[in-house]
Amino acid sequence: MTVKVGDKLAFRGFANHYSICTVERITASGRIICGKYTLNPDLTVRGRNDSFHTPYEAEPVTPEIIASVIRRKTLEQIVHTDWPSLTFDALKRIETIIKGDLKR
């Protein structure tokens, strides 16, 4: 895969959660600077410390990866919602959505 500045790459991290970063720079020697990672031309992460928190390699962003990132961020937003501050009407609408999805 040929990578250019501005391309998006995905990194699979802890619990198989993906993060997506933009290629910022490619050095003369071919190293790829993408977010907090420096990659070899083959997309393996340089300086990996064998921690399970450090991804082994980058991969091209796919629609499935984008969907998983959006899903995870949506779930995080739901978990961190200040439920007591919502109006009764808002809570009833949420309840209707949840009950409708559970019947499927």
Side-chain angles (χ1 to χ4, degrees), residues 13-27:
F14 180 68
N16 284 326
H17 289 166
Y18 281 97
S19 61
I20 298 174
C21 299
T22 302
V23 174
E24 300 164 10
R25 185 167 57 98
I26 300 175
T27 68

Side-chain angles (χ1 to χ4, degrees), residues 4-95:
K4 304 179 301 295
V5 171
D7 286 352
K8 304 256 187 223
L9 294 174
F11 296 88
R12 187 184 349 224
F14 180 68
N16 284 326
H17 289 166
Y18 281 97
S19 61
I20 298 174
C21 299
T22 302
V23 174
E24 300 164 10
R25 185 167 57 98
I26 300 175
T27 68
S29 63
R31 291 183 182 160
I32 302 162
I33 311 303
C34 187
K36 64 182 179 180
Y37 303 109
T38 300
L39 309 171
N40 294 312
D42 66 356
L43 302 184
T44 55
V45 175
R46 293 183 57 80
R48 187 171 185 281
N49 62 9
D50 289 331
S51 163
F52 61 91
H53 293 288
T54 305
Y56 179 72
E57 63 186 355
E59 53 190 283
V61 175
T62 64
E64 292 80 15
I65 290 172
I66 293 169
S68 76
V69 169
I70 292 169
R71 178 179 168 75
R72 187 183 83 245
K73 287 182 179 182
T74 302
L75 287 170
E76 286 174 5
Q77 184 178 6
I78 291 168
V79 166
H80 294 103
T81 296
D82 182 11
W83 296 104
S85 71
L86 296 178
T87 66
F88 178 74
D89 288 340
L91 290 171
K92 289 304 284 181
R93 288 194 309 268
I94 293 167
E95 178 187 38

